[in-house]
Amino acid sequence: MSINYLKSEGCSCGKVHLSTVKNVITGKGAIEKLPEEIKKEGARRVFLVADKNTYKAAGEKAESLIKNAGLECSKYIFNEDRLEPDEHAVGSVVMHFDKTCDCIVAVGSGVINDISKILANITKLSYIIVATAPSMDGYASDSSSMARDGLKISLPSKCADVLIGDTDILKNAPLHMLKSGLGDMLAKYISICEWKIAHMLIGEYYCEEVADLIRQALKKCTDNAEALLNRDEKAVEAVFEGLVIGGLAMAYAGLSRPASGVEHYFSHIWDMRGLEFNLPTELHGIQCAYGTYVASKLYEKVKKTTPDREKALSYVKSFDLAKWNDELCNFLGKGADAMIVQEAKEGKYDLEKHTKRLDKIIDNWDKILQIIEKEIPDSKFIEELFSKIGLPTKSSEIGVDEKILPMTFKATKDIRDKYVLSRLCWDLGIIEEVIR
């Protein structure tokens, strides 16, 4: 797999697109290259991180390869039945870290990778990830999706120097994790749409070439979607490479826009509620898939909307921030505290800022509709595709009560200072009605 997609100063956006990833190795038997890559990093003693499941899936093999190559290896294996990406997990791996090691090798997928990237960032050591499932798009990103004080955040971390995706290992991941990876890829329909809209309305940086990388990877995944159910190597590799490209695209752009939008925020809200109220949660990519389906239906409602300036101004003037903050606290618990503090800095509910955005929305409404039409498939297409591959189109399929969907959608606008669908609907004064 080539990683030299956009390493050029000639991009039309004027940005030099670079990634710190040095090598991506995919295909049958890719794990055999692990010792060679460790030696290329100039390392002699490896600190291996895995959980009890990923250690069985590929960690034992990795450790054997490392030792047989004459390298030394210390390890820390998480023993939890369900490992959470939080302060406890990071603290555990840091406290068990062997300071004589000069390279970190993680064996796993989402949570193991996120935790290990933080460890690599702290220690400033070379970092290699051996993927055990094509389940999420964080393999090539330089941030970690973590829970801190109950709030889902993206923490700066170290992107892997080398990524290894052995299809012999990846294809044997639980089928649910394969579907999760595909779900995370399908979310890109929404993220690219919202990136373009944010560029138009608030002047956010946008690169068409980076966006097109995502589109091409997404098409490759959808073309092979049904074959994924049979653990077809071509389909598995397409999803893994698509997820890697998603991470690279975020690095190229310098922000998460190419790979996540409101559909990811649905997932973040459900994760936060899961942590706060001890509720069951699904895999991130599965939740993002359902969030994508919901978002596609909501965008269809938005397409039928005609902006009403007076209605929008009236709605925003009557918006009670203190009351909303109380609702947010009741819905999310302590995780809402950080969101409220964040909003005090962002000021997205400021009346003057809203008026300027509303003017832009009204002036560019036809262009906004064209973007939605071009980037997001009809919800019927998504529903049929999801039905074929077993992705959720009902909240009950991911353990979420349908009654909380309106509040979930409204809360997504407060997760980050990112212009997403819920922000657009709030600006238009239609956020209450589109989610009914």
Side-chain angles (χ1 to χ4, degrees), residues 314-352:
S314 175
Y315 174 81
V316 169
K317 284 179 182 177
S318 66
F319 180 74
D320 188 332
L321 182 57
K323 181 183 177 183
W324 168 246
N325 287 342
D326 286 342
E327 290 179 22
L328 207 56
C329 288
N330 289 332
F331 188 60
L332 295 175
K334 65 178 181 291
D337 294 342
M339 294 164 72
I340 292 168
V341 170
Q342 186 173 280
E343 166 53 27
K345 297 176 183 177
E346 294 166 1
K348 59 180 173 285
Y349 296 125
D350 180 83
L351 291 177
E352 187 176 339

mmCIF file of all heavy atoms in Angstrom, residues 314-352:
data_model
loop_
_atom_site.group_PDB
_atom_site.id
_atom_site.type_symbol
_atom_site.label_atom_id
_atom_site.label_comp_id
_atom_site.label_asym_id
_atom_site.label_seq_id
_atom_site.Cartn_x
_atom_site.Cartn_y
_atom_site.Cartn_z
ATOM 1 N N SER A 314 -35.920 34.505 15.597
ATOM 2 C CA SER A 314 -36.830 34.385 16.733
ATOM 3 C C SER A 314 -36.450 33.193 17.615
ATOM 4 O O SER A 314 -36.436 33.296 18.848
ATOM 5 C CB SER A 314 -38.268 34.241 16.237
ATOM 6 O OG SER A 314 -39.151 34.015 17.310
ATOM 7 N N TYR A 315 -36.148 32.070 16.965
ATOM 8 C CA TYR A 315 -35.784 30.863 17.719
ATOM 9 C C TYR A 315 -34.515 31.102 18.540
ATOM 10 O O TYR A 315 -34.450 30.769 19.726
ATOM 11 C CB TYR A 315 -35.566 29.683 16.773
ATOM 12 C CG TYR A 315 -35.062 28.454 17.485
ATOM 13 C CD1 TYR A 315 -35.939 27.612 18.164
ATOM 14 C CD2 TYR A 315 -33.704 28.137 17.506
ATOM 15 C CE1 TYR A 315 -35.482 26.493 18.848
ATOM 16 C CE2 TYR A 315 -33.233 27.023 18.193
ATOM 17 C CZ TYR A 315 -34.130 26.208 18.852
ATOM 18 O OH TYR A 315 -33.660 25.111 19.539
ATOM 19 N N VAL A 316 -33.517 31.681 17.909
ATOM 20 C CA VAL A 316 -32.237 31.885 18.579
ATOM 21 C C VAL A 316 -32.349 32.914 19.705
ATOM 22 O O VAL A 316 -31.747 32.747 20.773
ATOM 23 C CB VAL A 316 -31.152 32.286 17.548
ATOM 24 C CG1 VAL A 316 -29.885 32.765 18.240
ATOM 25 C CG2 VAL A 316 -30.850 31.110 16.633
ATOM 26 N N LYS A 317 -33.143 33.963 19.500
ATOM 27 C CA LYS A 317 -33.323 34.964 20.560
ATOM 28 C C LYS A 317 -34.019 34.367 21.785
ATOM 29 O O LYS A 317 -33.779 34.805 22.916
ATOM 30 C CB LYS A 317 -34.134 36.143 20.020
ATOM 31 C CG LYS A 317 -33.327 37.077 19.123
ATOM 32 C CD LYS A 317 -34.186 38.212 18.587
ATOM 33 C CE LYS A 317 -33.379 39.108 17.647
ATOM 34 N NZ LYS A 317 -34.214 40.183 17.050
ATOM 35 N N SER A 318 -34.877 33.393 21.548
ATOM 36 C CA SER A 318 -35.612 32.782 22.665
ATOM 37 C C SER A 318 -34.856 31.600 23.278
ATOM 38 O O SER A 318 -35.312 31.020 24.268
ATOM 39 C CB SER A 318 -36.987 32.304 22.187
ATOM 40 O OG SER A 318 -36.858 31.243 21.238
ATOM 41 N N PHE A 319 -33.715 31.261 22.709
ATOM 42 C CA PHE A 319 -32.937 30.122 23.217
ATOM 43 C C PHE A 319 -32.395 30.454 24.599
ATOM 44 O O PHE A 319 -31.718 31.460 24.798
ATOM 45 C CB PHE A 319 -31.784 29.815 22.247
ATOM 46 C CG PHE A 319 -30.918 28.656 22.671
ATOM 47 C CD1 PHE A 319 -31.364 27.358 22.561
ATOM 48 C CD2 PHE A 319 -29.643 28.878 23.189
ATOM 49 C CE1 PHE A 319 -30.564 26.283 22.948
ATOM 50 C CE2 PHE A 319 -28.837 27.818 23.573
ATOM 51 C CZ PHE A 319 -29.303 26.517 23.453
ATOM 52 N N ASP A 320 -32.697 29.586 25.561
ATOM 53 C CA ASP A 320 -32.303 29.787 26.961
ATOM 54 C C ASP A 320 -31.089 28.900 27.243
ATOM 55 O O ASP A 320 -31.231 27.698 27.475
ATOM 56 C CB ASP A 320 -33.465 29.430 27.876
ATOM 57 C CG ASP A 320 -33.212 29.783 29.333
ATOM 58 O OD1 ASP A 320 -32.034 29.794 29.744
ATOM 59 O OD2 ASP A 320 -34.187 30.020 30.065
ATOM 60 N N LEU A 321 -29.898 29.492 27.242
ATOM 61 C CA LEU A 321 -28.666 28.715 27.406
ATOM 62 C C LEU A 321 -28.596 28.046 28.781
ATOM 63 O O LEU A 321 -28.169 26.889 28.894
ATOM 64 C CB LEU A 321 -27.443 29.617 27.187
ATOM 65 C CG LEU A 321 -26.074 28.927 27.287
ATOM 66 C CD1 LEU A 321 -25.959 27.752 26.309
ATOM 67 C CD2 LEU A 321 -24.950 29.928 27.024
ATOM 68 N N ALA A 322 -29.016 28.747 29.821
ATOM 69 C CA ALA A 322 -28.972 28.167 31.172
ATOM 70 C C ALA A 322 -29.874 26.941 31.260
ATOM 71 O O ALA A 322 -29.495 25.909 31.838
ATOM 72 C CB ALA A 322 -29.381 29.213 32.204
ATOM 73 N N LYS A 323 -31.053 27.047 30.677
ATOM 74 C CA LYS A 323 -31.983 25.913 30.672
ATOM 75 C C LYS A 323 -31.402 24.755 29.873
ATOM 76 O O LYS A 323 -31.490 23.587 30.273
ATOM 77 C CB LYS A 323 -33.323 26.350 30.067
ATOM 78 C CG LYS A 323 -34.365 25.238 30.032
ATOM 79 C CD LYS A 323 -35.649 25.723 29.361
ATOM 80 C CE LYS A 323 -36.662 24.577 29.251
ATOM 81 N NZ LYS A 323 -37.893 25.007 28.541
ATOM 82 N N TRP A 324 -30.786 25.090 28.733
ATOM 83 C CA TRP A 324 -30.177 24.053 27.900
ATOM 84 C C TRP A 324 -29.043 23.357 28.649
ATOM 85 O O TRP A 324 -28.918 22.122 28.596
ATOM 86 C CB TRP A 324 -29.669 24.638 26.587
ATOM 87 C CG TRP A 324 -28.777 23.689 25.828
ATOM 88 C CD1 TRP A 324 -27.455 23.837 25.557
ATOM 89 C CD2 TRP A 324 -29.146 22.415 25.288
ATOM 90 N NE1 TRP A 324 -26.974 22.747 24.881
ATOM 91 C CE2 TRP A 324 -27.989 21.855 24.701
ATOM 92 C CE3 TRP A 324 -30.342 21.702 25.245
ATOM 93 C CZ2 TRP A 324 -27.990 20.608 24.069
ATOM 94 C CZ3 TRP A 324 -30.349 20.449 24.613
ATOM 95 C CH2 TRP A 324 -29.197 19.927 24.043
ATOM 96 N N ASN A 325 -28.229 24.109 29.361
ATOM 97 C CA ASN A 325 -27.137 23.510 30.124
ATOM 98 C C ASN A 325 -27.656 22.546 31.188
ATOM 99 O O ASN A 325 -27.050 21.497 31.448
ATOM 100 C CB ASN A 325 -26.278 24.594 30.765
ATOM 101 C CG ASN A 325 -25.408 25.326 29.761
ATOM 102 O OD1 ASN A 325 -25.183 24.838 28.655
ATOM 103 N ND2 ASN A 325 -24.914 26.494 30.137
ATOM 104 N N ASP A 326 -28.786 22.893 31.816
ATOM 105 C CA ASP A 326 -29.406 21.996 32.796
ATOM 106 C C ASP A 326 -29.851 20.700 32.122
ATOM 107 O O ASP A 326 -29.662 19.598 32.659
ATOM 108 C CB ASP A 326 -30.605 22.670 33.466
ATOM 109 C CG ASP A 326 -30.204 23.747 34.467
ATOM 110 O OD1 ASP A 326 -29.025 23.740 34.890
ATOM 111 O OD2 ASP A 326 -31.052 24.596 34.799
ATOM 112 N N GLU A 327 -30.443 20.815 30.935
ATOM 113 C CA GLU A 327 -30.894 19.637 30.186
ATOM 114 C C GLU A 327 -29.696 18.761 29.816
ATOM 115 O O GLU A 327 -29.755 17.529 29.898
ATOM 116 C CB GLU A 327 -31.633 20.072 28.919
ATOM 117 C CG GLU A 327 -32.975 20.717 29.170
ATOM 118 C CD GLU A 327 -33.651 21.159 27.880
ATOM 119 O OE1 GLU A 327 -33.312 20.610 26.806
ATOM 120 O OE2 GLU A 327 -34.501 22.059 27.929
ATOM 121 N N LEU A 328 -28.612 19.420 29.433
ATOM 122 C CA LEU A 328 -27.400 18.700 29.037
ATOM 123 C C LEU A 328 -26.827 17.930 30.231
ATOM 124 O O LEU A 328 -26.414 16.763 30.094
ATOM 125 C CB LEU A 328 -26.380 19.703 28.507
ATOM 126 C CG LEU A 328 -25.330 19.241 27.495
ATOM 127 C CD1 LEU A 328 -25.983 18.616 26.268
ATOM 128 C CD2 LEU A 328 -24.462 20.422 27.073
ATOM 129 N N CYS A 329 -26.834 18.557 31.400
ATOM 130 C CA CYS A 329 -26.323 17.893 32.612
ATOM 131 C C CYS A 329 -27.176 16.691 32.990
ATOM 132 O O CYS A 329 -26.652 15.644 33.382
ATOM 133 C CB CYS A 329 -26.272 18.882 33.776
ATOM 134 S SG CYS A 329 -24.967 20.126 33.624
ATOM 135 N N ASN A 330 -28.480 16.837 32.870
ATOM 136 C CA ASN A 330 -29.374 15.723 33.182
ATOM 137 C C ASN A 330 -29.187 14.569 32.203
ATOM 138 O O ASN A 330 -29.289 13.399 32.577
ATOM 139 C CB ASN A 330 -30.841 16.186 33.152
ATOM 140 C CG ASN A 330 -31.195 17.095 34.309
ATOM 141 O OD1 ASN A 330 -30.600 17.008 35.373
ATOM 142 N ND2 ASN A 330 -32.156 17.984 34.099
ATOM 143 N N PHE A 331 -28.889 14.908 30.964
ATOM 144 C CA PHE A 331 -28.767 13.897 29.912
ATOM 145 C C PHE A 331 -27.425 13.180 29.942
ATOM 146 O O PHE A 331 -27.338 11.975 29.695
ATOM 147 C CB PHE A 331 -28.969 14.571 28.550
ATOM 148 C CG PHE A 331 -29.057 13.611 27.390
ATOM 149 C CD1 PHE A 331 -30.055 12.644 27.342
ATOM 150 C CD2 PHE A 331 -28.155 13.687 26.340
ATOM 151 C CE1 PHE A 331 -30.144 11.762 26.261
ATOM 152 C CE2 PHE A 331 -28.238 12.819 25.258
ATOM 153 C CZ PHE A 331 -29.236 11.855 25.221
ATOM 154 N N LEU A 332 -26.360 13.922 30.263
ATOM 155 C CA LEU A 332 -25.012 13.364 30.162
ATOM 156 C C LEU A 332 -24.289 13.215 31.496
ATOM 157 O O LEU A 332 -23.236 12.571 31.558
ATOM 158 C CB LEU A 332 -24.156 14.232 29.237
ATOM 159 C CG LEU A 332 -24.583 14.286 27.773
ATOM 160 C CD1 LEU A 332 -23.717 15.281 27.010
ATOM 161 C CD2 LEU A 332 -24.505 12.911 27.123
ATOM 162 N N GLY A 333 -24.802 13.826 32.537
ATOM 163 C CA GLY A 333 -24.097 13.756 33.809
ATOM 164 C C GLY A 333 -22.869 14.647 33.810
ATOM 165 O O GLY A 333 -22.846 15.700 33.169
ATOM 166 N N LYS A 334 -21.825 14.207 34.481
ATOM 167 C CA LYS A 334 -20.649 15.063 34.651
ATOM 168 C C LYS A 334 -19.928 15.355 33.340
ATOM 169 O O LYS A 334 -19.172 16.326 33.247
ATOM 170 C CB LYS A 334 -19.680 14.447 35.656
ATOM 171 C CG LYS A 334 -19.041 13.138 35.249
ATOM 172 C CD LYS A 334 -18.062 12.666 36.320
ATOM 173 C CE LYS A 334 -17.378 11.359 35.952
ATOM 174 N NZ LYS A 334 -18.305 10.215 35.951
ATOM 175 N N GLY A 335 -20.140 14.533 32.321
ATOM 176 C CA GLY A 335 -19.519 14.794 31.025
ATOM 177 C C GLY A 335 -19.960 16.115 30.423
ATOM 178 O O GLY A 335 -19.247 16.712 29.612
ATOM 179 N N ALA A 336 -21.144 16.594 30.834
ATOM 180 C CA ALA A 336 -21.653 17.867 30.309
ATOM 181 C C ALA A 336 -20.862 19.058 30.839
ATOM 182 O O ALA A 336 -20.822 20.114 30.204
ATOM 183 C CB ALA A 336 -23.121 18.023 30.674
ATOM 184 N N ASP A 337 -20.230 18.902 32.005
ATOM 185 C CA ASP A 337 -19.515 20.027 32.617
ATOM 186 C C ASP A 337 -18.452 20.590 31.680
ATOM 187 O O ASP A 337 -18.344 21.804 31.498
ATOM 188 C CB ASP A 337 -18.869 19.592 33.936
ATOM 189 C CG ASP A 337 -19.893 19.226 35.003
ATOM 190 O OD1 ASP A 337 -21.063 19.626 34.851
ATOM 191 O OD2 ASP A 337 -19.524 18.535 35.963
ATOM 192 N N ALA A 338 -17.659 19.690 31.095
ATOM 193 C CA ALA A 338 -16.592 20.133 30.194
ATOM 194 C C ALA A 338 -17.160 20.780 28.933
ATOM 195 O O ALA A 338 -16.580 21.731 28.389
ATOM 196 C CB ALA A 338 -15.706 18.949 29.821
ATOM 197 N N MET A 339 -18.313 20.287 28.482
ATOM 198 C CA MET A 339 -18.947 20.865 27.297
ATOM 199 C C MET A 339 -19.428 22.285 27.578
ATOM 200 O O MET A 339 -19.329 23.168 26.725
ATOM 201 C CB MET A 339 -20.105 19.965 26.845
ATOM 202 C CG MET A 339 -19.645 18.604 26.360
ATOM 203 S SD MET A 339 -20.972 17.371 26.253
ATOM 204 C CE MET A 339 -21.890 17.949 24.844
ATOM 205 N N ILE A 340 -19.938 22.506 28.770
ATOM 206 C CA ILE A 340 -20.432 23.829 29.144
ATOM 207 C C ILE A 340 -19.275 24.825 29.263
ATOM 208 O O ILE A 340 -19.365 25.965 28.796
ATOM 209 C CB ILE A 340 -21.227 23.738 30.467
ATOM 210 C CG1 ILE A 340 -22.524 22.951 30.231
ATOM 211 C CG2 ILE A 340 -21.535 25.133 31.014
ATOM 212 C CD1 ILE A 340 -23.242 22.544 31.495
ATOM 213 N N VAL A 341 -18.179 24.382 29.861
ATOM 214 C CA VAL A 341 -16.979 25.221 29.962
ATOM 215 C C VAL A 341 -16.447 25.541 28.564
ATOM 216 O O VAL A 341 -16.052 26.677 28.262
ATOM 217 C CB VAL A 341 -15.884 24.517 30.797
ATOM 218 C CG1 VAL A 341 -14.563 25.273 30.707
ATOM 219 C CG2 VAL A 341 -16.324 24.396 32.250
ATOM 220 N N GLN A 342 -16.468 24.530 27.703
ATOM 221 C CA GLN A 342 -15.987 24.689 26.325
ATOM 222 C C GLN A 342 -16.815 25.727 25.585
ATOM 223 O O GLN A 342 -16.283 26.582 24.868
ATOM 224 C CB GLN A 342 -16.105 23.322 25.639
ATOM 225 C CG GLN A 342 -15.533 23.234 24.250
ATOM 226 C CD GLN A 342 -15.562 21.786 23.758
ATOM 227 O OE1 GLN A 342 -14.723 20.979 24.103
ATOM 228 N NE2 GLN A 342 -16.556 21.455 22.966
ATOM 229 N N GLU A 343 -18.132 25.685 25.759
ATOM 230 C CA GLU A 343 -19.018 26.634 25.071
ATOM 231 C C GLU A 343 -18.771 28.066 25.538
ATOM 232 O O GLU A 343 -18.868 29.006 24.751
ATOM 233 C CB GLU A 343 -20.478 26.248 25.287
ATOM 234 C CG GLU A 343 -21.495 27.313 24.910
ATOM 235 C CD GLU A 343 -21.337 27.849 23.498
ATOM 236 O OE1 GLU A 343 -20.819 27.120 22.614
ATOM 237 O OE2 GLU A 343 -21.708 29.013 23.265
ATOM 238 N N ALA A 344 -18.409 28.232 26.801
ATOM 239 C CA ALA A 344 -18.123 29.576 27.315
ATOM 240 C C ALA A 344 -16.961 30.207 26.553
ATOM 241 O O ALA A 344 -16.894 31.430 26.390
ATOM 242 C CB ALA A 344 -17.806 29.502 28.814
ATOM 243 N N LYS A 345 -16.048 29.377 26.068
ATOM 244 C CA LYS A 345 -14.912 29.873 25.280
ATOM 245 C C LYS A 345 -15.292 30.049 23.811
ATOM 246 O O LYS A 345 -14.850 30.987 23.149
ATOM 247 C CB LYS A 345 -13.744 28.892 25.387
ATOM 248 C CG LYS A 345 -13.190 28.713 26.791
ATOM 249 C CD LYS A 345 -12.110 27.645 26.808
ATOM 250 C CE LYS A 345 -11.589 27.402 28.227
ATOM 251 N NZ LYS A 345 -10.592 26.303 28.260
ATOM 252 N N GLU A 346 -16.119 29.129 23.295
ATOM 253 C CA GLU A 346 -16.444 29.135 21.862
ATOM 254 C C GLU A 346 -17.464 30.200 21.494
ATOM 255 O O GLU A 346 -17.348 30.855 20.455
ATOM 256 C CB GLU A 346 -16.984 27.754 21.457
ATOM 257 C CG GLU A 346 -15.949 26.640 21.563
ATOM 258 C CD GLU A 346 -16.580 25.255 21.503
ATOM 259 O OE1 GLU A 346 -17.826 25.168 21.363
ATOM 260 O OE2 GLU A 346 -15.848 24.260 21.601
ATOM 261 N N GLY A 347 -18.495 30.339 22.305
ATOM 262 C CA GLY A 347 -19.526 31.341 22.047
ATOM 263 C C GLY A 347 -20.340 31.097 20.796
ATOM 264 O O GLY A 347 -20.739 32.041 20.112
ATOM 265 N N LYS A 348 -20.604 29.845 20.483
ATOM 266 C CA LYS A 348 -21.347 29.577 19.245
ATOM 267 C C LYS A 348 -22.813 29.998 19.326
ATOM 268 O O LYS A 348 -23.489 30.100 18.307
ATOM 269 C CB LYS A 348 -21.243 28.096 18.870
ATOM 270 C CG LYS A 348 -21.758 27.104 19.874
ATOM 271 C CD LYS A 348 -21.592 25.679 19.352
ATOM 272 C CE LYS A 348 -21.937 24.637 20.402
ATOM 273 N NZ LYS A 348 -20.857 24.519 21.420
ATOM 274 N N TYR A 349 -23.302 30.251 20.556
ATOM 275 C CA TYR A 349 -24.684 30.700 20.713
ATOM 276 C C TYR A 349 -24.794 32.221 20.724
ATOM 277 O O TYR A 349 -25.877 32.769 20.940
ATOM 278 C CB TYR A 349 -25.274 30.119 22.003
ATOM 279 C CG TYR A 349 -25.376 28.613 21.995
ATOM 280 C CD1 TYR A 349 -24.795 27.839 23.002
ATOM 281 C CD2 TYR A 349 -26.047 27.945 20.965
ATOM 282 C CE1 TYR A 349 -24.890 26.453 22.997
ATOM 283 C CE2 TYR A 349 -26.140 26.561 20.938
ATOM 284 C CZ TYR A 349 -25.560 25.822 21.962
ATOM 285 O OH TYR A 349 -25.656 24.450 21.942
ATOM 286 N N ASP A 350 -23.699 32.905 20.508
ATOM 287 C CA ASP A 350 -23.679 34.370 20.471
ATOM 288 C C ASP A 350 -24.591 34.879 19.352
ATOM 289 O O ASP A 350 -24.521 34.413 18.208
ATOM 290 C CB ASP A 350 -22.241 34.848 20.242
ATOM 291 C CG ASP A 350 -22.145 36.348 20.183
ATOM 292 O OD1 ASP A 350 -22.076 36.965 21.241
ATOM 293 O OD2 ASP A 350 -22.137 36.891 19.056
ATOM 294 N N LEU A 351 -25.450 35.840 19.682
ATOM 295 C CA LEU A 351 -26.448 36.334 18.718
ATOM 296 C C LEU A 351 -25.812 36.977 17.482
ATOM 297 O O LEU A 351 -26.269 36.778 16.356
ATOM 298 C CB LEU A 351 -27.377 37.336 19.402
ATOM 299 C CG LEU A 351 -28.336 36.766 20.459
ATOM 300 C CD1 LEU A 351 -29.132 37.893 21.100
ATOM 301 C CD2 LEU A 351 -29.269 35.740 19.842
ATOM 302 N N GLU A 352 -24.761 37.747 17.696
ATOM 303 C CA GLU A 352 -24.112 38.421 16.568
ATOM 304 C C GLU A 352 -23.463 37.414 15.627
ATOM 305 O O GLU A 352 -23.563 37.531 14.402
ATOM 306 C CB GLU A 352 -23.074 39.412 17.093
ATOM 307 C CG GLU A 352 -22.465 40.277 16.000
ATOM 308 C CD GLU A 352 -21.505 41.319 16.549
ATOM 309 O OE1 GLU A 352 -21.599 41.648 17.749
ATOM 310 O OE2 GLU A 352 -20.669 41.809 15.774
#
